[in-house]
Amino acid sequence: MTVHTKDQPVSLARRVVRSRPPFSIMVAFSFVAAVLVISVVGQALAGSANIQDLASVANPASGDHWLGTDRLGRDVLARVFAGTRTAVIGPLIIASSGLVLSSIFGIAAGYIGGGLDSTIMRTVDFFIALPGLLVAIVAVSVLGGGYGMAIIVLSIFNVQGDIRIVRGAAIEQKGLPYIEALRSLGVKRLRIMWRHMLPNVSPVLVADFAIDFALSLVALAGLSFLGLGSQPGTPEWGGMLAVNQAILFSNPLASLAPGFAIILLAVSVNLIGDWLYDKYTAPDRVRN
Amino acid sequence: MRNRNLGRYAVRRLLMLIPIAFLISVVVFLLTSLVPGGAVAALIEGRPTSQGTVEALKAKYHLDEPLITQYWIWLKGVLQGDFGRSFQSSQLVMDSIRSRIGLTIWLNAIGLSIALVIGVPLGTWAAMRRGSSQDRTIVGASIFASSTPSFVVALGFLWLFGQKLDWFPLYGVGDGSFRDQMWHLVLPGIVMAITPTALILKITRASMLDQIDQDHIAFARARGLRERRVIFVYGLRNALIPVLTAAGLIFVGLLTGTVFVEFVFGLPGLGALLVIAVKNSDIPVIQGLVLVVGVWISVANLLVDLSYAAVDPRVTFRKVSD
């Protein structure tokens, strides 16, 4: 945060400029928007992801194939575009469930406190000590269930950190005068939590949503990279990365391009999340 | 008084390992029965079999006994270091783990060292120049690093440093000499370090910023102490406590990274073993590895808690009194 406070009154023009997000955040927003658009109209832009051209296998980038072709002669760009859908859906589910569950458990733990709080927090501590991605790897391989199972396991692990953060925000709110005023007016506990506290912790929830999205994007891609998660043959960024490692030296873009797509989307979403978090909460506080 | 508290705390913490170990062992044992179709399905893996074979398998692995008896037999074996044999290679699970664990420990140690050597100074530097362009660059880079999956970097490095520039060996662990082995671990070690470096940097910066505003720092400055002494002796020493708190998180991150890094670089460690076992649904190997990871994390957390207690006396006081 580099806002310098000066003594003279701030002009309206400057206030408008100040409220505009920094350049990097605008770029991040544009990239996320582009990915969302491509996930809908990608096929129209780059053609089908499954057309094979066995005459041009593992070719480097050219005018016909901007990112070259993979081992089966499929256009890498078309597959990267087609992969946007899987890339977006899984993380959206995980982040949404994190949003809902953490607002319920986080606010309940923070506001009600007592035995409920310590039960919830002991559970959170337990899960946070475990390597979620490794558990997901083992669960998918032992229980089966592929992508769906991966999403379930990662959702369970993902929500724990959120609960801790939302609880912190709820405790902070609890000490504020407006809550005390509501209580002295005899407003029901549930109503205080739902109608008054939730809106006030929502900035934290939104920031958490973004960070969850980025983390689970990387985690799901990692599972597919190991050959778990999505079905073989599905255009999925992590899976492409792994399969195309075999042609890393003839067409490096075949595996590096989906890799960059993962990084750019994760960085964009993370930047947005960090920006929202800093904007609405005290700056420079350590998360977790 | 303080030492007594610390000792009592250590004993309590050690005793807590017993239920944790029990819990881990139950989870690991139950893994086999979680396979759809049970342990027999895991053993035959869809191959056509006769009823006789199934019966023989059941008898061999004691699957016809009640679950408690099965657990007891299994536990007795595990306590003697017997995890059974891999379904895939028929090798003793304990042998594969023993021969591979060294590499994984080295890889984790290298990754952690790099992360500390880079993360702490950069975080301190950024905090001291808060708001400057250097600070923003460092913070931006750390956001970038923390969102970058290790397997993408691993492939990128493999292509750039291994193939294009030809600075480092591509795959494997080399000819067996210690020097060559370490040389082969440089690139994987750097990849391992990326995410934890970002985490350590972020925490160091934040807690250093906290420290700079503290009264004792202002006092040290007012007394005319050298800025370097103020920062390193009074600031950084306190700023590193939050890093210690996050150490559990860092260990878990490193462990996850190992799986991908070993897989990409073709290193025969525990991570690569897990990938192979998982692809083949090789339950005994998975069991052994889950146990190792469970113990690994419990011990790491124990060490973290104890060193935290040693650094910050308030911990033992609070935890003993409640």
Side-chain angles (χ1 to χ4, degrees):
Chain A
M1 296 276 91
T2 55
V3 182
H4 299 286
T5 40
K6 297 204 174 104
D7 288 325
Q8 73 260 34
V10 182
S11 72
L12 182 68
R14 183 178 271 173
R15 243 184 287 164
V16 171
V17 170
R18 192 181 281 174
S19 67
R20 207 176 61 188
F23 182 66
S24 61
I25 300 298
M26 308 267 264
V27 174
F29 266 120
S30 322
F31 187 77
V32 173
V35 170
L36 291 177
V37 170
I38 287 169
S39 70
V40 180
V41 300
Q43 192 159 343
L45 288 176
S48 167
N50 293 317
I51 296 172
Q52 296 187 9
D53 177 8
L54 292 173
S56 58
V57 167
N59 281 357
S62 66
D64 280 345
H65 304 285
W66 289 4
L67 298 177
T69 55
D70 67 8
R71 209 153 44 148
L72 296 171
R74 295 174 298 199
D75 184 53
V76 172
L77 183 66
R79 290 184 74 72
V80 171
F81 275 13
T84 50
R85 218 166 275 191
T86 337
V88 169
I89 290 173
L92 268 185
I93 298 176
I94 296 175
S96 311
S97 67
L99 183 86
V100 174
L101 295 176
S102 69
S103 48
I104 296 173
F105 289 111
I107 294 180
Y111 184 67
I112 299 174
L116 182 75
D117 181 33
S118 51
T119 313
I120 292 175
M121 292 323 288
R122 287 285 136 79
T123 319
V124 167
D125 288 341
F126 172 75
F127 276 103
I128 281 183
L130 295 177
L133 189 53
L134 293 189
V135 176
I137 290 172
V138 170
V140 171
S141 95
V142 172
L143 299 172
Y147 197 64
M149 178 59 75
I151 289 179
I152 294 174
V153 176
L154 290 176
S155 298
I156 295 172
F157 277 90
N158 169 68
V159 74
Q160 313 296 336
D162 296 351
I163 293 179
R164 189 181 273 182
I165 292 166
V166 175
R167 172 183 173 266
I171 289 176
E172 217 168 277
Q173 294 291 323
K174 193 182 173 182
L176 297 180
Y178 79 94
I179 296 285
E180 206 181 324
L182 288 164
R183 273 165 62 182
S184 57
L185 282 172
V187 180
K188 291 237 171 67
R189 198 156 68 175
L190 209 61
R191 191 178 163 84
I192 294 182
M193 287 193 282
W194 174 251
R195 287 292 299 272
H196 301 279
M197 212 173 226
L198 185 63
N200 281 306
V201 299
S202 61
V204 181
L205 290 173
V206 173
D208 273 346
F209 183 87
I211 288 153
D212 288 353
F213 185 97
L215 285 177
S216 45
L217 168 72
V218 170
L220 281 172
L223 281 169
S224 306
F225 180 75
L226 296 178
L228 304 156
S230 60
Q231 290 291 313
T234 327
E236 199 281 338
W237 292 346
M240 287 173 72
L241 218 80
V243 172
N244 295 337
Q245 190 185 350
I247 54 167
L248 185 64
F249 303 135
S250 41
N251 179 16
L253 280 177
S255 55
L256 295 184
F260 283 128
I262 298 171
I263 296 180
L264 286 179
L265 186 55
V267 170
S268 304
V269 177
N270 250 334
L271 277 174
I272 296 172
D274 267 15
W275 176 69
L276 288 173
Y277 195 77
D278 284 348
K279 196 174 150 103
Y280 290 112
T281 60
D284 305 315
R285 189 163 37 180
V286 194
R287 304 187 74 234
N288 287 316
Chain B
M1 185 60 196
R2 185 169 159 212
N3 280 335
R4 203 152 97 226
N5 273 347
L6 189 59
R8 230 187 273 168
Y9 176 68
V11 170
R12 265 176 62 126
R13 238 357 228 95
L14 275 169
L15 285 176
M16 264 169 65
L17 277 184
I18 296 170
I20 291 174
F22 175 70
L23 199 69
I24 295 173
S25 76
V26 170
V27 169
V28 170
F29 168 72
L30 287 178
L31 270 180
T32 30
S33 32
L34 286 176
V35 181
V40 179
L43 281 166
I44 58 183
E45 282 191 310
R47 283 184 290 258
T49 41
S50 66
Q51 191 58 36
T53 326
V54 172
E55 292 302 323
L57 278 175
K58 275 189 173 171
K60 185 178 170 195
Y61 290 98
H62 308 285
L63 294 173
D64 40 6
E65 312 263 4
L67 213 55
I68 303 277
T69 324
Q70 282 184 45
Y71 173 72
W72 182 240
I73 295 170
W74 176 81
L75 191 65
K76 268 198 296 192
V78 166
L79 289 178
Q80 291 159 15
D82 176 20
F83 289 95
R85 287 173 188 277
S86 157
F87 289 160
Q88 209 62 31
S89 64
S90 307
Q91 224 186 339
L92 280 172
V93 173
M94 199 59 206
D95 287 351
S96 340
I97 289 178
R98 203 175 291 148
S99 66
R100 285 159 174 264
I101 197 167
L103 186 126
T104 301
I105 291 175
W106 267 114
L107 204 53
N108 275 268
I110 294 172
L112 183 63
S113 316
I114 296 177
L116 283 171
V117 166
I118 296 176
V120 172
L122 274 188
T124 314
W125 180 270
M128 285 162 65
R129 282 165 183 69
R130 165 191 221 164
S132 69
S133 60
Q134 294 166 18
D135 176 32
R136 280 204 301 275
T137 311
I138 293 174
V139 170
S142 81
I143 292 179
F144 203 82
S146 64
S147 350
T148 303
S150 55
F151 48 94
V152 177
V153 190
L155 277 185
F157 274 20
L158 211 53
W159 174 74
L160 183 65
F161 295 114
Q163 160 86 4
K164 277 279 146 187
L165 303 172
D166 199 17
W167 288 356
F168 290 99
L170 280 181
Y171 296 108
V173 285
D175 58 16
S177 73
F178 182 73
R179 225 186 107 139
D180 196 45
Q181 231 164 9
M182 285 297 123
W183 184 233
H184 276 77
L185 289 183
V186 173
L187 216 46
I190 294 173
V191 177
M192 289 275 297
I194 291 174
T195 327
T197 305
L199 188 65
I200 291 173
L201 193 160
K202 201 174 163 179
I203 299 167
T204 311
R205 176 177 176 276
S207 63
M208 199 64 198
L209 283 177
D210 237 23
Q211 283 299 318
I212 290 175
D213 293 338
Q214 299 279 323
D215 290 344
H216 73 271
I217 295 287
F219 181 69
R221 279 190 179 139
R223 293 274 304 205
L225 291 179
R226 280 232 202 106
E227 184 64 12
R228 200 186 294 164
R229 186 172 168 83
V230 172
I231 293 297
F232 289 104
V233 179
Y234 298 97
L236 192 59
R237 207 170 70 179
N238 288 316
L240 284 181
I241 293 177
V243 177
L244 201 56
T245 324
L249 217 61
I250 295 166
F251 281 123
V252 163
L254 281 167
L255 211 53
T256 311
T258 320
V259 175
F260 294 98
V261 169
E262 287 179 10
F263 179 60
V264 174
F265 287 100
L267 299 171
L270 292 182
L273 185 66
L274 179 70
V275 176
I276 301 167
V278 152
K279 282 190 172 162
N280 299 317
S281 301
D282 197 339
I283 301 292
V285 179
I286 296 178
Q287 281 181 310
L289 287 173
V290 172
L291 198 71
V292 170
V293 171
V295 171
W296 185 302
I297 289 174
S298 313
V299 172
N301 274 321
L302 175 73
L303 293 179
V304 170
D305 281 0
L306 287 183
S307 43
Y308 190 50
V311 175
D312 186 346
R314 285 170 301 179
V315 176
T316 49
F317 184 69
R318 188 161 9 112
K319 296 221 169 156
V320 168
S321 60
D322 71 20

